[in-house]
Amino acid sequence: MIVLIQVASAQTVTNRVQRLSAQQIVALLSNNSTQASIPAEGQQDLVITIFYGADGSSLFATNDGFQDTGRWTVTQENLYCSSWVNLRQGQQTCSKVMSDGDIVHFD
């Protein structure tokens, strides 16, 4: 499993982080999963797990029981793009992917 960290701004990324190429993104995510924990004040942290199928399918699941299915792809511009049946009303979003060892940043 890869640890996932959402980065709000490229300014917060350390110098060790390198932007991944399309080929690297596909190799890293295919048949793998990422996990992120979002702190919730006074409650159990929300843990999000995303599985990325080699065929472009994806599964989004949280520790509170929410699930969604979707698709993922990587563009020639080295962007990871995803769309979900329910999340974001199916609208596709794209982001850069950077890596710092086992920590992956989507910006």
Side-chain angles (χ1 to χ4, degrees):
M1 179 174 299
I2 301 165
V3 177
L4 166 78
I5 297 178
Q6 289 284 137
V7 178
S9 164
Q11 296 172 343
T12 62
V13 179
T14 66
N15 291 335
R16 299 179 304 181
V17 177
Q18 296 182 11
R19 184 166 178 194
L20 300 181
S21 69
Q23 205 170 25
Q24 290 171 311
I25 296 167
V26 170
L28 181 70
L29 295 180
S30 292
N31 289 325
N32 210 344
S33 58
T34 56
Q35 191 170 72
S37 182
I38 301 171
E41 196 171 315
Q43 300 176 9
Q44 180 180 358
D45 290 354
L46 180 66
V47 178
I48 299 169
T49 303
I50 302 174
F51 174 76
Y52 307 87
D55 62 355
S57 63
S58 51
L59 174 64
F60 180 102
T62 65
N63 61 328
D64 66 0
F66 178 80
Q67 290 190 352
D68 201 358
T69 58
R71 304 287 305 162
W72 71 280
T73 189
V74 179
T75 69
Q76 292 179 348
E77 293 80 24
N78 302 324
L79 295 173
Y80 159 80
C81 300
S82 64
S83 60
W84 302 96
V85 171
N86 296 303
L87 293 170
R88 299 184 305 262
Q89 291 124 2
Q91 184 177 11
Q92 184 181 58
T93 58
C94 299
S95 58
K96 298 175 192 172
V97 180
M98 282 93 40
S99 177
D100 182 5
D102 285 341
I103 299 175
V104 176
H105 305 265
F106 291 78
D107 186 23

